[in-house]
Amino acid sequence: MKVLGKAMRSIWVEADGWSVGVIDQTQLPHHFATARLAAADDAARAIRSMLVRGAPLIGATAAYGMCLALRQDASDGALERAYALLVSARPTAVNLRWALDEVRRAVAPLPPPERAAAAYQRAAALCEEDVAINRAIGERGLALLQEAWARRGREGRVNVLTHCNAGWLATVDWGTALAPIYMAHDAGIPVHVWVDETRPRNQGAGLTAWELGQHGVPHTVIADNAGGHLMQHGLVDLCIVGTDRTTARGDVANKIGTYLKALAAKDNGVPFYVALPSPTIDWALQDGVREIPIEQRDGAELCDVTGRLPSGELATVRITPPGSPAENHAFDVTPARLVTALITERGVCEASPDGLRSLFPERTQAGA
Amino acid sequence: MKVLGKAMRSIWVEADGWSVGVIDQTQLPHHFATARLAAADDAARAIRSMLVRGAPLIGATAAYGMCLALRQDASDGALERAYALLVSARPTAVNLRWALDEVRRAVAPLPPPERAAAAYQRAAALCEEDVAINRAIGERGLALLQEAWARRGREGRVNVLTHCNAGWLATVDWGTALAPIYMAHDAGIPVHVWVDETRPRNQGAGLTAWELGQHGVPHTVIADNAGGHLMQHGLVDLCIVGTDRTTARGDVANKIGTYLKALAAKDNGVPFYVALPSPTIDWALQDGVREIPIEQRDGAELCDVTGRLPSGELATVRITPPGSPAENHAFDVTPARLVTALITERGVCEASPDGLRSLFPERTQAGA
């Protein structure tokens, strides 16, 4: 997607042919800065300190971290040390381990002198696969936006509400929930996005607003509290959100607050779509509310807000009184009954066991 | 309620017998400071710059502003000038105009030398009436908390979720939604309050957390996004919120986001109560979503967050990117079908035309 008018991805190999560039997302939306990763340590640090975030981008960064390590030392010992270093950078990130396994599997059987080149090849392929999946999600979702535009008689604008950041900054390009929006915008549909601020980490106000703005997509930031009111007044045509984990019956775990928006959508007859790459489907789970453990993060994320002072400097202010505790539940689960449809790279389906099996018939046995 | 272990109200006459003290709420929750109002100008400024907020407290401050004016000059001209000054301090505050009318009506027929004393008397009476209404709401609501405690078999704690600040800082004492909570706490029921942060102005994280903490009521600040998740997991026994305006059929306008919590309460079988002084019932309205106009405030309230720097100084940081617009809808309407019951100073009733008429039979004709 575009930044300062120029197409870019969230991760790339630099012109030197080996070092790796990423956007320093901790500075967004206030400063646009990139960082150059020249060793596995740099990649681990970028993941740990959240210069990069979002499961697919973390995976891609880890894969390139392996490349950087093998470039310096391609021995079996170095391979295992790099794996151990990178896998511990965000211990709960499933995608991170998967990407590292992919690279290790590709290079371990090779003689050491061939390993670095093979690792770069595999890392690049992982990135292309991610882009292809998201492009497919975008194309599938685009049809839903075209329908919404037709329902409006091609008058006014199509208002889409989204929560958190499921955009290209979380992936390699396109994003998941935002991919259909970028495609609709690029196709000339007058789409306008209501961007939920997404407390407590403000990924909407910070990252989603920034990436939509850079690509030129009209948008308005709102409080997480506002979506229901907008839907009551006909100001939302559809919702699209991402998900971290989907169960075999279509329950979706996503950023805290998603469930509240889905309730409001249901109450007002607004379609509520969830965009997901199929690897995030957990075929072993059914009842998301009961079975998906929800991460509790530090309450300080709620109490302390970081932003830009009038001077341009970044600062962090505390908004709660001394002695008032805070709890920070990071995700919630939206039951399938509130989800109009799932948008996957294979197509759009009902959020139900049958719906998912219709797109993924190879899972019919496994899902039983 | 208590501050630093000492009982106090949100407004009082100072020991000198004529000047008026208020809490500077713009400094909360970071610094506890009081301000002395010695002239009508001071009172108008306190209202305009939001040292005081909340309809009942604004009314009380305006009433005392009239006293301060009449103390200096009790002529008809001075009376009208003070009225005009104070009524323009927050033009949309209905309670403000009502309180000013009450004082003017009480003093206008009197000879000027008697006016100041009569004004002080009327202002004090207005404060006492507010306290009496809120105490009655507290007593009515206490019964609901006692029931919730009994339903728990008197085990653990009673978890109450509230939104925004409908506490004593918004009134003269007790508050509306928080009055039952203070009474339950004082009566030894182990109540714990989930305090919605309440974006964009953070009245929950700032004011509600502060007043509960000062009075010693256990509480936890949460993101506005979190309530649905807590209810899905049985962590909320009941919700109590305030309201700015209630229709004759029981629809309630309250701080933006209230509707989302009411939806979650309904979806999870959690009782959802609304506490209100009966003067906020608008008997002329029925359908709140269609008939109640919703104030749109400056988007900067969402983009700019004020809090305490590590140095202790207050600062404001911007959380959105340059060029991203924000919208700030201040209230939403929760339809009566989502409200378990209304708590008024006359008792608890169903949120319906019949429910309200059962408590306010004198309105039977007017409400037709």
Side-chain angles (χ1 to χ4, degrees):
Chain A
M1 302 288 98
K2 287 187 191 156
V3 177
L4 303 168
K6 212 187 78 182
M8 74 183 296
R9 288 183 171 182
S10 63
I11 188 166
W12 59 91
V13 175
E14 294 283 7
D16 59 21
W18 64 271
S19 70
V20 176
V22 295
I23 298 169
D24 179 356
Q25 299 194 22
T26 64
Q27 304 278 317
L28 292 180
H30 310 297
H31 305 294
F32 173 67
T34 60
R36 180 170 173 269
L37 315 178
D41 260 345
D42 296 343
R45 204 175 307 115
I47 294 167
R48 204 178 308 115
S49 53
M50 298 183 76
L51 264 70
V52 296
R53 22 72 60 195
L57 178 55
I58 288 172
T61 307
Y64 276 115
M66 292 287 273
C67 303
L68 295 168
L70 293 169
R71 200 178 158 269
Q72 294 184 318
D73 179 351
S75 68
D76 287 358
L79 176 62
E80 289 312 311
R81 281 195 299 278
Y83 185 101
L85 168 76
L86 290 158
V87 83
S88 67
R90 283 288 291 274
T92 60
V94 175
N95 220 279
L96 167 62
R97 181 180 293 272
W98 172 81
L100 291 170
D101 286 339
E102 287 289 309
V103 175
R104 183 164 61 178
R105 191 169 18 244
V107 305
L110 302 176
E114 294 172 25
R115 284 176 173 173
Y120 274 100
Q121 212 166 27
R122 189 72 197 100
L126 288 179
C127 290
E128 293 307 325
E129 287 161 25
D130 183 62
V131 174
I133 284 181
N134 294 334
R135 188 183 294 119
I137 289 172
E139 285 161 357
R140 304 301 190 163
L142 170 59
L144 300 171
L145 282 157
Q146 283 166 329
E147 281 168 28
W149 180 224
R151 273 199 304 276
R152 283 201 154 265
R154 301 172 161 267
E155 295 277 339
R157 62 186 192 181
V158 178
N159 285 299
V160 184
L161 185 142
T162 192
H163 192 68
C164 199
N165 177 254
W168 70 269
L169 287 171
T171 62
V172 176
D173 207 354
W174 291 109
T176 54
L178 297 193
I181 291 168
Y182 286 121
M183 288 203 181
H185 174 78
D186 290 352
I189 296 174
V191 62
H192 165 265
V193 185
W194 296 111
V195 178
D196 274 358
E197 177 183 28
T198 317
R199 292 285 294 146
R201 291 177 58 84
N202 307 346
Q203 295 97 330
L207 303 176
T208 299
W210 184 83
E211 62 168 88
L212 291 173
Q214 289 293 328
H215 197 74
V217 181
H219 64 283
T220 305
V221 180
I222 52 172
D224 299 307
N225 284 323
H229 169 72
L230 295 174
M231 293 187 218
Q232 282 179 320
H233 290 271
L235 296 167
V236 181
D237 292 297
L238 67 157
C239 305
I240 312 182
V241 300
T243 167
D244 290 79
R245 203 162 169 186
T246 305
T247 73
R249 76 176 194 196
D251 294 349
V252 292
N254 190 43
K255 195 63 54 192
I256 190 81
T258 302
Y259 166 54
L260 295 171
K261 295 314 154 60
L263 284 167
K266 187 77 166 184
D267 201 44
N268 293 285
V270 173
F272 190 89
Y273 299 110
V274 179
L276 61 135
S278 63
T280 65
I281 303 171
D282 190 333
W283 297 95
L285 300 186
Q286 296 292 333
D287 181 339
V289 174
R290 280 181 40 217
E291 297 175 53
I292 298 179
I294 300 295
E295 183 189 2
Q296 278 222 34
R297 297 178 58 87
D298 191 344
E301 289 187 345
L302 181 64
C303 303
D304 296 333
V305 178
T306 299
R308 197 173 65 252
L309 290 167
S311 66
E313 247 183 303
L314 299 194
T316 299
V317 296
R318 174 148 290 213
I319 60 167
T320 48
S324 282
E327 272 188 29
N328 181 5
H329 306 261
F331 302 95
D332 64 19
V333 173
T334 300
R337 65 185 152 86
L338 302 176
V339 177
T340 307
L342 302 173
I343 310 172
T344 78
E345 72 272 21
R346 289 206 194 162
V348 175
C349 73
E350 195 181 77
S352 69
D354 286 351
L356 278 167
R357 279 198 293 253
S358 73
L359 291 184
F360 301 92
E362 71 272 25
R363 292 290 181 165
T364 307
Q365 278 85 8
Chain B
M1 303 289 95
K2 287 186 190 156
V3 177
L4 303 167
K6 213 186 77 183
M8 74 182 298
R9 287 183 171 181
S10 63
I11 188 166
W12 58 92
V13 175
E14 294 284 5
D16 59 20
W18 65 271
S19 70
V20 176
V22 295
I23 298 169
D24 179 356
Q25 299 194 23
T26 63
Q27 304 278 316
L28 292 180
H30 311 296
H31 305 295
F32 173 66
T34 61
R36 180 170 173 269
L37 315 179
D41 261 345
D42 297 342
R45 206 175 305 117
I47 294 167
R48 202 179 309 116
S49 53
M50 298 182 78
L51 264 70
V52 296
R53 21 73 58 196
L57 178 56
I58 288 172
T61 307
Y64 276 115
M66 292 288 271
C67 303
L68 295 167
L70 293 170
R71 201 178 157 270
Q72 294 184 319
D73 180 350
S75 67
D76 287 357
L79 177 62
E80 290 311 313
R81 279 194 301 278
Y83 185 100
L85 169 75
L86 289 158
V87 83
S88 67
R90 282 287 292 272
T92 59
V94 175
N95 219 278
L96 167 63
R97 181 178 293 271
W98 172 81
L100 290 170
D101 286 340
E102 287 288 308
V103 175
R104 183 163 62 177
R105 189 165 24 239
V107 305
L110 301 177
E114 294 172 26
R115 284 176 173 174
Y120 274 100
Q121 213 165 26
R122 189 72 198 99
L126 288 179
C127 289
E128 293 308 324
E129 287 161 26
D130 183 63
V131 174
I133 283 181
N134 294 335
R135 189 184 291 118
I137 289 172
E139 285 160 358
R140 305 298 191 163
L142 171 58
L144 300 171
L145 281 157
Q146 283 166 329
E147 282 167 28
W149 179 223
R151 273 200 303 275
R152 283 199 154 268
R154 301 172 161 268
E155 295 277 340
R157 62 185 193 183
V158 178
N159 286 301
V160 184
L161 184 143
T162 192
H163 191 68
C164 198
N165 178 254
W168 71 268
L169 287 171
T171 63
V172 176
D173 207 354
W174 291 109
T176 54
L178 297 194
I181 291 168
Y182 286 122
M183 290 204 180
H185 174 78
D186 290 353
I189 296 174
V191 62
H192 165 265
V193 185
W194 296 111
V195 178
D196 273 358
E197 176 183 30
T198 317
R199 294 283 296 146
R201 291 177 57 84
N202 307 346
Q203 295 97 329
L207 303 175
T208 299
W210 183 83
E211 62 168 269
L212 291 173
Q214 288 293 327
H215 198 75
V217 181
H219 64 283
T220 305
V221 181
I222 52 172
D224 299 308
N225 284 324
H229 170 72
L230 295 174
M231 293 187 218
Q232 282 179 319
H233 291 270
L235 296 167
V236 181
D237 292 297
L238 68 158
C239 305
I240 312 182
V241 300
T243 166
D244 290 80
R245 203 163 170 188
T246 306
T247 73
R249 76 176 194 195
D251 293 349
V252 293
N254 190 44
K255 194 63 54 190
I256 190 82
T258 302
Y259 165 55
L260 294 171
K261 297 312 153 64
L263 284 168
K266 188 76 167 187
D267 200 45
N268 292 285
V270 172
F272 191 89
Y273 299 111
V274 180
L276 61 136
S278 63
T280 63
I281 304 171
D282 190 332
W283 297 95
L285 300 186
Q286 297 292 332
D287 181 339
V289 173
R290 280 181 38 216
E291 297 176 52
I292 298 178
I294 300 297
E295 183 189 0
Q296 279 223 35
R297 297 178 58 88
D298 190 345
E301 289 187 346
L302 180 64
C303 303
D304 295 333
V305 178
T306 300
R308 200 171 65 252
L309 290 168
S311 65
E313 247 183 303
L314 298 193
T316 298
V317 295
R318 173 148 290 213
I319 60 167
T320 48
S324 282
E327 272 189 29
N328 180 5
H329 306 262
F331 302 95
D332 64 19
V333 173
T334 299
R337 66 185 152 86
L338 302 177
V339 178
T340 307
L342 302 172
I343 310 172
T344 78
E345 72 273 21
R346 289 205 193 164
V348 175
C349 72
E350 194 182 79
S352 69
D354 286 351
L356 278 166
R357 279 198 294 254
S358 72
L359 290 183
F360 301 92
E362 71 273 24
R363 292 292 180 164
T364 307
Q365 277 86 10

